[in-house]
Amino acid sequence: MEKLMKPAEYAKELGISRQAVYAKIKRGILTSKNVEGKLYIVVDNVTKKETNMVSKPTVTQPKTAETTATKKDYKALLQAKDETIAVLKETVVDLKESNKQISTTLRGEIDLLKDAFHEMRSLYVRQLEHRNSVQEEDAIEVHTEEVILKEDIQWIGLKKFFKKHKIVKEKHQEKVIKRLAKAFKRDDTRLSNVEGKLKLNADAEYGDIIK
């Protein structure tokens, strides 16, 4: 007569691990059955009785039969342990293979990130070099324009400046010179240092200086 047992119950009764039970099912040693989505092991009454006899010998059993049953029990236990070890070995092999695949994937991702970083760095360096080049060109153009403008300006000395603005008195000249020195320190574009001498733009207005 057919009897169904859960894998955990079957393993407990035989004194083996559940992994060993699943290994027996996988190898076809045990017959399994799926009932309402749950896995059961098919056990007949004869097998159940034999199992009980092996695991629980009666008092009336002869000594020789008891020894034989014990040997069978040890043999079954050793076989179960061997099967458990085999299952564990297969699990370890699967884990090693899985770790190997994960490591390979991670190495590939790291290489992709390195390539992307180098590419971004190259683009940034090229943009920076281009920007610096443009700034240098702009600075050269500005400097050139300033030089051209300065060359177009008519620069005069203090004597001509005083004469042009009719500043005759010495005290007035001293005040004007002090104001011009302050304006020069403020980078006033009306004044310039030409060959170590203070020069003034002849065409500029100096109302604030000579007042």
Side-chain angles (χ1 to χ4, degrees), residues 17 19-20 23 27 78-92:
S17 64
Q19 289 87 348
R27 296 175 182 175
L78 291 173
Q79 184 178 358
K81 297 299 181 186
D82 291 340
E83 291 175 352
T84 302
I85 291 171
V87 171
L88 290 174
K89 286 182 178 179
E90 292 177 0
T91 303
V92 170

Side-chain angles (χ1 to χ4, degrees), residues 18-32 39 86-87 90-91 94:
R18 282 186 292 178
Q19 289 87 348
V21 173
Y22 290 125
K24 286 176 178 289
I25 295 173
K26 185 178 180 180
R27 296 175 182 175
I29 298 174
L30 293 176
T31 304
S32 62
L39 184 69
V87 171
E90 292 177 0
T91 303
D94 293 339

Side-chain angles (χ1 to χ4, degrees), residues 1-12 14 16-18 20-26 29-35 38-44 47-48:
M1 183 177 177
E2 184 179 83
K3 181 175 178 63
L4 302 179
M5 291 183 67
K6 295 180 179 179
E9 294 174 350
Y10 188 82
K12 184 176 181 181
L14 289 186
I16 61 177
S17 64
R18 282 186 292 178
V21 173
Y22 290 125
K24 286 176 178 289
I25 295 173
K26 185 178 180 180
I29 298 174
L30 293 176
T31 304
S32 62
K33 188 174 183 180
N34 197 314
V35 179
K38 295 183 179 180
L39 184 69
Y40 291 90
I41 297 170
V42 180
V43 184
D44 56 22
T47 305
K48 184 71 167 55

